[in-house]
Amino acid sequence: MSSPAPADLSARRVSIAPMLDWTDRFYRYFARQISRRVYLYTEMVTTGALIHGDAARFLRFDDCEHPLALQLGGSDPADLARCAELAEQWGYDEVNLNVGCPSERVQSGAFGACLMAEPDLVADCLKAMQDRVGIAVTVKHRIGIDNIEDYHYLEDFVGRVHQRSACTVFVVHARNAILNGLSPKENREIPPLKYDYVHRLKTAFPALEIHINGGFTNWDQVEPQWAHVDGVMIGREAYHNPWMLVDADARAWGDDHPPPTRRQVAEAMAAFAEAQVAEGVPLKTICRHILGLYQGMPGARQWRRMLSDHLRLKDNNPALILEASDAVEQRSAA
């Protein structure tokens, strides 16, 4: 059952979670062809990659991707401030600090979910970025780490970070992060979801923007959240079953513009791929992100098979996307 609509629908946010190796600029362009208004995030980019590596590789995006946030991984306030400045210069709408990733690689760099144990450092990082840029500075975090199960740990973390940094937007993955003993995949599945913790957090801090993340796979799960929080972040479902995004604009914001068809999205991606291939981007780099376009439709397996065929992809011919779409559309029309 849907929750009552708030007075200001524009204040709502539906976003796609930052996902390493997945939410790159090619996937984000694809997602934007399906929804005009869903908020997009980059995959997490470390401060070292931007400062010492090829910054343009990580920061490049298409104008259609707005609204768009850059998610940073790091724990040095000066480095984060420098990277936030880059984000603003490149035209991002927001910079987000990752305090939720539990991978060993991230922990070895002393950032990600292990920062849940250091709220003062998190606040210092956020404040350093806020002092350098005029765009929004936000944070994404877990409800706790390891065996700390008490709700008040979460409330104390958010309260302390807000008090010291004046950060007002908190995106909360409603699971604990287990730093030792669970893989990143297991950390997304084994720790129980505690949506009520995030709801209580919004009650405790009504003036803050609180967004909830974790386990959402359909709109019947998403819509009741509007009674409790300001936004919902959707993770892997938006990648594997991207067509769920076609309902986002209408169901979250009451937007009545005609939604695209799958064929129209395929045509847009073929045109995009043509331009990207001309710049030297392998076709497979784009096709891997659009395999879920026909998920649940007759012919979906053929679509995936054609766009995963290494011999066809080797030709780097974007017409393959239209050929695969033709095969599916003809089967659906039969």
Side-chain angles (χ1 to χ4, degrees):
M1 182 170 60
S2 300
S3 59
D8 183 9
L9 291 179
S10 66
R12 284 182 175 174
R13 180 185 293 187
V14 175
S15 57
I16 300 175
M19 292 176 279
L20 199 59
D21 297 325
W22 288 8
T23 54
D24 62 16
R25 66 186 182 91
F26 306 112
Y27 169 76
R28 297 192 308 264
Y29 187 94
F30 170 53
R32 182 58 73 223
Q33 306 314 303
I34 303 174
S35 167
R36 298 181 181 187
R37 302 181 64 165
V38 163
Y39 207 101
L40 301 176
Y41 283 75
T42 68
E43 54 190 329
M44 183 187 69
V45 182
T46 64
T47 54
L50 291 184
I51 295 172
H52 305 296
D54 182 2
R57 173 191 164 202
F58 296 104
L59 294 174
R60 183 180 176 188
F61 64 88
D62 190 280
D63 284 343
C64 78
E65 293 175 40
H66 291 292
L68 175 64
L70 171 69
Q71 187 182 69
L72 293 174
S75 59
D76 181 88
D79 287 350
L80 285 163
R82 183 176 174 186
C83 292
E85 195 169 35
L86 284 172
E88 186 172 53
Q89 291 169 356
W90 275 75
Y92 283 85
D93 302 294
E94 174 186 325
V95 59
N96 177 268
L97 179 63
N98 182 310
V99 186
C101 182
S103 75
E104 290 183 5
R105 181 167 65 91
V106 166
Q107 290 182 57
S108 68
F111 60 94
C114 62
L115 289 176
M116 286 290 297
E118 301 187 65
D120 289 349
L121 177 55
V122 171
D124 290 344
C125 290
L126 294 169
K127 190 171 190 311
M129 291 189 283
Q130 290 168 331
D131 289 344
R132 190 71 66 88
V133 301
I135 59 176
V137 175
T138 67
V139 60
K140 183 175 187 290
H141 58 92
R142 297 278 184 135
I143 59 173
I145 52 175
D146 294 326
N147 295 321
I148 300 173
E149 301 285 350
D150 185 8
Y151 160 76
H152 294 289
Y153 183 87
L154 170 64
E155 185 175 316
D156 290 345
F157 174 84
V158 170
R160 192 167 184 85
V161 169
H162 171 61
Q163 183 180 35
R164 289 176 60 94
S165 73
C167 179
T168 60
V169 180
F170 294 79
V171 183
V172 190
H173 187 160
R175 302 181 196 267
N176 269 36
I178 308 302
L179 301 182
N180 296 296
L182 293 184
S183 69
K185 181 178 185 296
E186 290 170 331
N187 259 292
R188 295 190 299 269
E189 300 171 351
I190 293 177
L193 285 163
K194 297 181 179 179
Y195 293 153
D196 61 306
Y197 276 28
V198 187
H199 300 165
R200 289 174 66 183
L201 191 66
K202 178 62 181 179
T203 301
F205 300 101
L208 299 183
E209 272 192 46
I210 305 295
H211 304 263
I212 192 168
N213 169 229
F216 297 107
T217 60
N218 60 66
W219 289 101
D220 288 340
Q221 295 171 345
V222 169
E223 288 183 324
Q225 298 299 321
W226 301 132
H228 305 285
V229 293
D230 302 291
V232 178
M233 178 176 277
I234 302 169
R236 278 158 173 71
E237 188 69 16
Y239 190 90
H240 293 304
N241 181 26
W243 201 245
M244 76 169 294
L245 301 174
V246 80
D247 294 324
D249 297 4
R251 297 187 75 156
W253 298 285
D255 191 330
D256 61 359
H257 75 267
T261 63
R262 286 180 170 88
R263 175 65 183 190
Q264 288 171 331
V265 173
E267 290 173 350
M269 292 309 298
F272 176 70
E274 185 172 1
Q276 296 301 310
V277 167
E279 293 184 10
V281 175
L283 180 63
K284 65 180 181 180
T285 301
I286 298 168
C287 285
R288 75 182 183 96
H289 292 302
I290 65 176
L291 297 180
L293 177 59
Y294 285 95
Q295 178 72 20
M297 297 287 290
R301 182 177 299 178
Q302 184 176 7
W303 164 264
R304 293 192 300 270
R305 185 170 60 246
M306 291 179 70
L307 294 187
S308 302
D309 187 326
H310 70 280
L311 293 177
R312 289 173 176 264
L313 291 169
K314 191 175 181 180
D315 292 335
N316 267 343
N317 185 354
L320 175 62
I321 296 174
L322 296 181
E323 183 184 345
S325 177
D326 285 341
V328 178
E329 296 286 343
Q330 289 168 9
R331 181 169 176 176
S332 297

